Amino acid sequence: MVLQVQTSTYEAKTQEIAKQLLAATQENRSFFSSLRDQMRWDDKLLAWAMSNPGLRVQLFRFIDTLPALHSKSEIASHLQEYLGDESVELPAALKGMLNFANPDSVPGQVAATTVGTAVETLAHKYISGENIKQVIKTVERLRKEKMAFTIDLLGEAVITEAEAQSYLERYLELMQQLVEASKNWTAIPAIDEADGELIPKVQVSVKLTAFYSQFDPLDAKGSEDKVSDRIRILLRRAKELGAAVHFDMEQYAYKDITFSILKKLLLEEEFRQRTDIGMTIQAYLRDSEQDTKDVISWLKQRGYPLTIRLVKGAYWDQETIKAAQKHWPQPVYNDKAATDANFETITQLLLENHQYVYSAIGSHNVRSHSRAIAIAESLNVPRRRFELQVLYGMGDKVAKALVDRGYRVRVYCPYGELLPGMAYLIRRLLENTANSSFLRQNLENRPIDELLAPPIAKEEEKSLTINSHFLGAADTDYAEEEVRTKTAQAFQSVRQQLGKTYLPLINGEYVNPPEFVNSLNPSNFSEVIGKVGLISVEQAEQAMQAAKAAFPGWKKTPAKQRADILRKAGDLMEFRRAELSAWIVLEVGKPVKEADGEVSEAIDFCRYYADEIERLDEGVNYDIPGETNRYIYQPRGIAVVISPWNFPLAIACGMTVAALVSGNCTLLKPAETSSVIAAKFTEILVDAGFPKGVFQYVPGKGSQVGAYLVNHPDTHVIAFTGSQEVGCRIYAEAATLKPGQKHMKRVIAEMGGKNAIIVDESADLDQAVVGVVQSAFGYSGQKCSAASRVIVMQPIYDAFVQRLVEATKSLNIGEAELPSTQVGPVIDANARDRIQKYIEIGRQSAEVALELPAPKQGYFIGPVIFSEVSPNAVISQEEIFGPVLAVIRVKDFPEALAVANGTNFALTGGLYSRTPSHIQQAQTEFEVGNLYINRNITGAIVGRQPFGGFKLSGVGSKAGGPDYLLQFLEPRAVTENIQRQGFAPIEGAD
């Protein structure tokens, strides 16, 4: 009851203060100033974006591209491409301006100049300066208006260790120069002191993740060590200079580890008594209220207050999209009112604990500020412990009104070059033009009662979902500490099982084979993962006979029953996820996150193909009066699956369960180097309930057992993933009719690629460099989809290669099991030696831009980048299957496509571009089975990016797609005449 009374007291006071502030911000401007604003192009662009959603999207995409455009004709042609799109309704003034025939023409140049200048003017509204000199001018003007400041450094994403070091050095320089300038500033009591205590005149805001280029919650300890070393340097220097440091909050994935690092660091003896440091809470996060309570109780323990900046949050679109794509719970509120309500709850929580915390309330919503003031005044919160914050260029009138009321206002001032600052600018523009934005609603003169109404969250909150009939398994979210603990425990458990013996499974029994081989850990080849029994040709024949005997019963098993067994297998994999990931990491040297993604893919294959067989089992009716026509499917017979080592669970699982669920009896012959994982997969299929003889695990030598099964007259389907050489041999052998064979064999073969990524001059280089590094060096380049060529346009070639080399240098190379590892070993000694030969060949014909050293205890090869590579060089044409990348220079986009298409392969390809016509052209002319635009080219997801290529990359339909199961089925048409003596049932007749 007391709380209710207090809350209603706050509400009355909130309304009173808000109306006064609103009146101060809505004073009528003079006729001339409004007329002048009407004539400014930057204002026109914003107004048009607000009123036209289609234009808003295309305009912001164009602004995002602007940093990469270096001439007026480039700007003019991109303007036409983006805004000339059919989806965009153009205002008359803009339509007239874009009506030029040639980007090089005078009207084209005028259009480029007009819009380019308008965007620059817009940027100047939200970015406080391009260099320190301009920033000092800006903050001196703010101080004259009795406003404090905090400075944030804009720029490229930190993707290299050189950039992380530079980030630190630029902040040290910024603090030094600001403090130097501040010596000439007159003290302003309203912002420089409170309650008899001096407040630092200089404050900077930093992003924790920018202090380490490989910052990753999975590697919590490594990230903490690297980041903390640099933060200590920053905080020590800030103390010497008398400057304050505030830590911004970024994406949700980094939130928990950011709090953890700061809490540990700020309890260290050296920093425990510091009160000139701050951290940030984002109210749009569903768990932010709990975070606030945790921080307050930690501050009580610490004994010295810190600033907590409360903001709504700036990454809403990104967070909702990522959660939907990953099938993770949505971390942010869907409803703007829910965020606003939570903001008020946390405001109250902070201010009620003012003895432990300095509150900094950051918003442009008059109601949010008024609520904070109402609570602060009711509780008599001391002035030192409470301030209000706004972003530079947003809410200027609100800020002035707050200053006039006697409150300390701090302006968050981003600074940096305008063009790299475009990402920041677009976030501000999105915020300004969103329907739910207070600033926009205020501009639109919404009724005051509506503007100032208490925010009420909607009853039910639903996450953004993907519009798809198939929902895949969610990857593990390593940002959660308990998940990381579970992963470590799985490794401990698996390590206790190393060295065990794994027997073949024939006709439901584990049998003793004539030969055993050791499967080794490629990160440490002295470690035996397991002893694998290899079957003889005689045992292969026994397995074939068992499959023949089991086939009639399995063929008659209803599709629904087969599908349910498969779903159970998927559920068992989900239950054993952490353990299966650990086996993959240890047996084939795949880093932890990528191993986890592989388990997701295997689960998805089980669930997707279960759904698919039920769909296909319904068949198709082509009935006509007097006649039924059924189009149905039946299994082919016996399938032989020959699976690779590079996706030892996912590909083995995908090919095997597709054959099984289609009603075929299946023999799995895995690669020798990954047979322990195949044995674990076998355990799961047996536990799921596949009958004896229906599925059999038959590890053996490819040249003996593999060849025998391929050539066997009772084999109906061969599903193979591996090298082009072996794939072509299987294809040829399967085409030969053997004695006693009464059918043609079906071959499904995926045989690798020489995958290229094109980077054109309009590309976002931050995005392109990160994507190329992931695609080329993820799993040491041992994915069928890995990038082994990057084709770069002449104007950006040198800049791209320089950043690519620095980003690759920053990767951690080491044992796959270590959470810090991004590049692990290659699979075995043969692979290592073969890759080394290609590196030697590369040296003869190209420049070595980078060759990283590698650990000695395993089969390691450090990433190698060759530059100035000829499109026809051996390393540009042959599949290497290792961490070797060829960077090829081209003069224009047509040449880039010709080079990309100039190999025998057509598996995956990528394009980084912000030029709509290039994207369109690549979609039709880039010869690949899977084309990825503005993202990395590995990691295809079942039911989302069905995977497979053509030319010499393979034969057959795409795995994880709607026609994959058809390859394991025979279609039949059954027609029945249903007339009897001229009588037939006719639908709809009495």
Side-chain angles (χ1 to χ4, degrees), residues 285-294 342 345-346 349:
L285 295 178
R286 294 168 192 261
D287 47 13
S288 52
E289 184 183 349
Q290 187 56 50
D291 286 336
T292 307
K293 289 175 179 171
D294 293 345
N342 192 43
T345 301
I346 297 173
L349 198 52

Side-chain angles (χ1 to χ4, degrees), residues 356-553:
Y356 311 110
V357 60
Y358 299 154
S359 301
I361 309 299
S363 177
H364 307 111
N365 183 324
V366 167
R367 180 184 163 89
S368 299
H369 280 310
S370 304
R371 184 72 171 186
I373 294 168
I375 298 168
E377 287 183 355
S378 302
L379 297 175
N380 291 319
V381 175
R383 280 188 63 246
R384 172 67 187 96
R385 292 172 180 263
F386 169 58
E387 71 179 32
L388 301 160
Q389 297 194 350
V390 295
L391 290 171
Y392 182 78
M394 307 231 333
D396 295 354
K397 289 183 177 173
V398 177
K400 186 178 182 314
L402 291 168
V403 169
D404 291 346
R405 282 188 70 103
Y407 288 99
R408 183 167 71 254
V409 173
R410 189 175 301 279
V411 182
Y412 185 97
C413 299
Y415 105 91
E417 291 174 42
L418 290 190
L419 295 180
M422 282 301 158
Y424 174 83
L425 172 62
I426 285 170
R427 284 210 299 276
R428 297 290 72 81
L429 294 179
L430 283 168
E431 195 174 330
N432 264 326
T433 57
N435 288 326
S436 57
S437 156
F438 181 89
L439 291 171
R440 174 174 177 169
Q441 290 173 356
N442 192 14
L443 271 176
E444 291 170 346
N445 291 323
R446 297 272 179 95
I448 286 178
D449 289 347
E450 186 186 321
L451 273 177
L452 302 181
I456 298 166
K458 289 174 187 163
E459 285 297 310
E460 271 190 274
E461 278 251 325
K462 286 187 179 154
S463 293
L464 183 72
T465 52
I466 293 176
N467 185 16
S468 165
H469 69 285
F470 176 72
L471 199 64
D475 289 348
T476 300
D477 182 0
Y478 291 103
E480 297 177 16
E481 192 176 357
E482 60 270 32
V483 168
R484 299 197 295 271
T485 305
K486 191 176 171 186
T487 302
Q489 288 165 349
F491 274 106
Q492 284 175 353
S493 164
V494 165
R495 282 203 164 279
Q496 286 163 7
Q497 301 171 56
L498 295 186
K500 285 188 174 177
T501 298
Y502 296 91
L503 299 176
L505 179 77
I506 294 176
N507 201 20
E509 303 291 332
Y510 286 104
V511 299
N512 281 312
E515 188 184 351
F516 288 88
V517 291
N518 287 339
S519 179
L520 306 177
N521 178 355
S523 292
N524 176 9
F525 43 66
S526 63
E527 188 168 61
V528 176
I529 303 302
K531 291 180 168 55
V532 179
L534 303 182
I535 66 165
S536 63
V537 167
E538 293 73 28
Q539 287 174 317
E541 180 57 33
Q542 288 166 20
M544 190 57 84
Q545 294 310 317
K548 270 179 82 172
F551 179 63

Side-chain angles (χ1 to χ4, degrees), residues 637-641 659-660 664-668 714-719 968:
I638 294 170
V640 171
V641 171
L660 287 169
N664 303 285
C665 290
T666 306
L667 286 74
L668 168 62
D714 290 321
T715 296
H716 289 76
V717 184
I718 300 152
F968 298 89

Side-chain angles (χ1 to χ4, degrees), residues 211-228:
F211 290 105
Y212 179 40
S213 63
Q214 309 305 310
F215 193 93
D216 184 355
L218 171 61
D219 181 27
K221 180 78 175 71
S223 297
E224 180 186 325
D225 290 347
K226 292 274 189 182
V227 161
S228 298

Side-chain angles (χ1 to χ4, degrees), residues 570-591:
D571 293 346
L572 288 169
M573 283 187 216
E574 187 61 82
F575 180 72
R576 292 177 63 175
R577 174 188 281 276
E579 175 215 343
L580 289 169
S581 291
W583 282 112
I584 293 169
V585 170
L586 293 172
E587 191 177 26
V588 298
K590 187 171 282 194

Side-chain angles (χ1 to χ4, degrees), residues 606-640:
C606 291
R607 293 172 180 170
Y608 180 77
Y609 291 147
D611 291 353
E612 281 295 291
I613 198 62
E614 289 178 350
R615 175 179 70 83
L616 292 171
D617 188 53
E618 289 171 10
V620 185
N621 292 350
Y622 296 116
D623 296 350
I624 58 171
E627 184 176 280
T628 61
N629 292 285
R630 299 277 185 274
Y631 188 82
I632 56 174
Y633 298 97
Q634 68 179 32
R636 286 179 176 269
I638 294 170
V640 171

